[in-house]
Amino acid sequence: MIGVMALEHAILVSLLEKPGSGYELARRFDRSIGYFWTATHQQIYRVLKRMEQDGWVDVRDVPQQGRPDKKEYSVADLGRAALTSWLHDPIEPESVRHDLAVKIRGAAFDDDPAALTREVERHRQAHRDRLAHYLAGQARDFPESEPGEAAPRAPLDAERELQHVVLRGGIAYERMMIDWLDDVLATLARFGPGR
Amino acid sequence: MIGVMALEHAILVSLLEKPGSGYELARRFDRSIGYFWTATHQQIYRVLKRMEQDGWVDVRDVPQQGRPDKKEYSVADLGRAALTSWLHDPIEPESVRHDLAVKIRGAAFDDDPAALTREVERHRQAHRDRLAHYLAGQARDFPESEPGEAAPRAPLDAERELQHVVLRGGIAYERMMIDWLDDVLATLARFGPGR
DNA sequence: ATGCACATGTAATAAGTTACATGATTCA
DNA sequence: TGAATCATGTAACTTATTACATGTGCAT
């Protein structure tokens, strides 16, 4: 078996970090985990059901005051074994899908290339927003990391260190994207007015 | 309608750059276009058939010597209009899927974190290979760009400039990934031996 | 009463992957 | 004759998206 079905594994990692309900998982997938994996609540509930049937997770009904009851999921032994197995299984270096790159090459055949400039500026702003959000998260959750320093000075526990290095990856990605979109805008400006 | 169904649009762009058969498209999706969009030949033949039915592309039987005949596809007016419409339609800044990031956070719950080191090294090598491939392509197809210079000196035609800026994006992405994977390896080394 | 955050789902559709299948021509 | 490249497809399955659907409790 090759590296497939990663949503299950992302859920397992998230539940190992902290047990929670489908709703809570959906919110995490809009935040920290969502930085490198997206999933809607519909998908999460469906997969969670299957994982429960397969014995990967345990469920516990949690009555709540002031809000609807919830089902709290936690990782069972079988789930942990499945995760370990997946972790030891090599995966293919991911194949990227960049809609925006398709649009940029497509702009050569567009009568109105100014539309692309506006679109690229929108995306650039979105990446700036995301970068600001990541940096705020880093300052809040990893205050020990000095600005300009790639790594914390003293070794911490593995879980936190690994969360931090993933966050640094997100930060590097957003910075790269902003720089590249600047390059795209400069390129568009160079031949745009002369058309 | 929001920005969906981008395979059709990637095919339209590719056919506008140069008409070709499904087989040729599949090979392009393993090369230049494949840098930012992947598709198998099965997918391409299926979508091409639908696009033909919708009048987006024209087909022409091309008898060949020394090899099987092929169907050459080219973009019809309806297809060009569909592309323009999609180009002018804003798309969401893409949601990323990084299996490797899931694995990295998951490694905190793995008995054998050395397995992740090997996996990260494999990925790092794959990104180095891809970077070398991109740089070779740049040297071959855009010799006017000086090393260390972000952009060509004299304005070229839009199609080439846009292809080049997309390639520069691929190069920036691979460089960022290699640097980040170095950071990951350093992080793993810091707490790995002490476990 | 209206809207919002919390909470959990089903159904239909679209998109993507994997396995299977065929056939031509060239070259060793 | 056997492998490699070129060329085109079908079928089954899995995954992801979109639309629809329901209900609690709190605050305004």
Side-chain angles (χ1 to χ4, degrees):
Chain A
M1 191 168 42
I2 333 164
V4 281
M5 295 192 302
L7 176 55
E8 276 88 334
H9 305 108
I11 288 175
L12 287 172
V13 171
S14 188
L15 288 179
L16 280 169
E17 289 178 353
K18 188 169 167 41
S21 67
Y23 186 85
E24 282 161 353
L25 281 171
R27 289 207 322 177
R28 291 184 209 172
F29 275 89
D30 277 338
R31 302 164 151 277
S32 60
I33 312 158
Y35 300 159
F36 52 89
W37 201 272
T38 52
T40 58
H41 76 273
Q42 292 93 331
Q43 227 183 318
I44 289 166
Y45 283 123
R46 186 156 18 89
V47 170
L48 228 31
K49 192 178 228 174
R50 185 171 66 214
M51 291 170 78
E52 192 195 336
Q53 282 165 359
D54 293 345
W56 288 21
V57 290
D58 294 322
V59 203
R60 193 170 64 94
D61 276 310
V62 178
Q64 294 188 116
Q65 296 160 350
R67 48 174 76 174
D69 298 352
K70 67 173 180 180
K71 298 182 184 176
E72 194 183 73
Y73 290 89
S74 53
V75 178
D77 289 346
L78 269 175
R80 202 170 169 130
L83 180 67
T84 304
S85 160
W86 177 73
L87 288 174
H88 292 190
D89 225 25
I91 51 175
E92 287 301 309
E94 45 252 1
S95 44
V96 207
R97 296 256 160 114
H98 283 298
D99 302 64
L100 195 55
V102 178
K103 279 199 170 194
I104 291 167
R105 277 174 72 151
F109 309 99
D110 188 2
D111 299 326
D112 174 24
L116 180 62
T117 299
R118 289 191 297 274
E119 177 80 333
V120 172
E121 277 165 351
R122 267 190 55 241
H123 282 249
R124 185 175 176 282
Q125 189 55 49
H127 285 286
R128 286 179 69 88
D129 292 348
R130 228 184 278 173
L131 174 61
H133 189 221
Y134 289 4
L135 289 173
Q138 181 174 236
R140 185 185 61 243
D141 299 331
F142 306 99
E144 71 280 2
S145 62
E146 293 288 307
E149 211 176 305
R153 277 160 299 178
L156 296 165
D157 63 296
E159 191 177 323
R160 265 177 64 79
E161 283 238 41
L162 292 170
Q163 284 176 359
H164 192 186
V165 82
V166 168
L167 179 57
R168 288 201 298 274
I171 289 168
Y173 177 76
E174 298 304 329
R175 287 196 166 129
M176 181 278 297
M177 282 298 289
I178 292 163
D179 288 346
W180 176 59
L181 292 177
D182 283 337
D183 184 10
V184 173
L185 288 171
T187 304
L188 289 171
R190 210 174 317 124
F191 73 84
R195 278 170 78 99
Chain B
M1 190 169 40
I2 334 163
V4 281
M5 295 192 302
L7 176 55
E8 276 89 334
H9 304 108
I11 288 175
L12 287 172
V13 170
S14 190
L15 289 180
L16 280 169
E17 289 178 352
K18 189 169 166 39
S21 68
Y23 185 84
E24 282 160 354
L25 281 170
R27 290 208 320 178
R28 292 185 210 170
F29 275 89
D30 277 339
R31 302 164 150 275
S32 61
I33 311 158
Y35 300 161
F36 51 88
W37 201 273
T38 52
T40 59
H41 76 272
Q42 292 94 330
Q43 228 182 320
I44 289 167
Y45 284 121
R46 186 155 19 90
V47 170
L48 228 29
K49 190 178 229 173
R50 185 170 66 214
M51 291 170 78
E52 191 195 336
Q53 282 163 1
D54 293 345
W56 287 22
V57 291
D58 293 321
V59 204
R60 192 169 66 94
D61 276 311
V62 178
Q64 295 188 116
Q65 297 161 348
R67 48 174 74 175
D69 299 351
K70 68 174 179 180
K71 297 184 184 176
E72 195 183 71
Y73 290 89
S74 53
V75 178
D77 289 346
L78 270 174
R80 201 169 170 130
L83 180 66
T84 303
S85 159
W86 177 73
L87 287 174
H88 292 190
D89 225 25
I91 51 175
E92 287 300 311
E94 45 252 0
S95 43
V96 207
R97 296 255 159 116
H98 284 298
D99 302 64
L100 195 56
V102 177
K103 279 200 169 193
I104 291 167
R105 277 175 72 151
F109 309 99
D110 188 3
D111 300 326
D112 174 24
L116 180 63
T117 299
R118 289 190 298 274
E119 176 81 332
V120 172
E121 277 165 350
R122 265 189 56 241
H123 282 249
R124 185 175 176 283
Q125 189 56 49
H127 285 286
R128 286 179 69 88
D129 291 347
R130 229 185 276 173
L131 174 62
H133 189 222
Y134 288 3
L135 289 174
Q138 180 173 237
R140 185 185 60 243
D141 299 330
F142 306 99
E144 71 280 0
S145 62
E146 292 288 307
E149 210 175 304
R153 278 160 298 178
L156 297 165
D157 63 296
E159 191 177 323
R160 266 176 65 79
E161 283 238 40
L162 293 170
Q163 284 176 359
H164 193 186
V165 80
V166 168
L167 179 56
R168 288 200 298 275
I171 290 168
Y173 177 76
E174 298 305 329
R175 287 198 166 127
M176 181 278 298
M177 282 298 289
I178 292 164
D179 287 348
W180 176 58
L181 293 177
D182 282 338
D183 183 10
V184 173
L185 288 171
T187 304
L188 289 172
R190 210 174 317 124
F191 73 85
R195 277 172 76 101

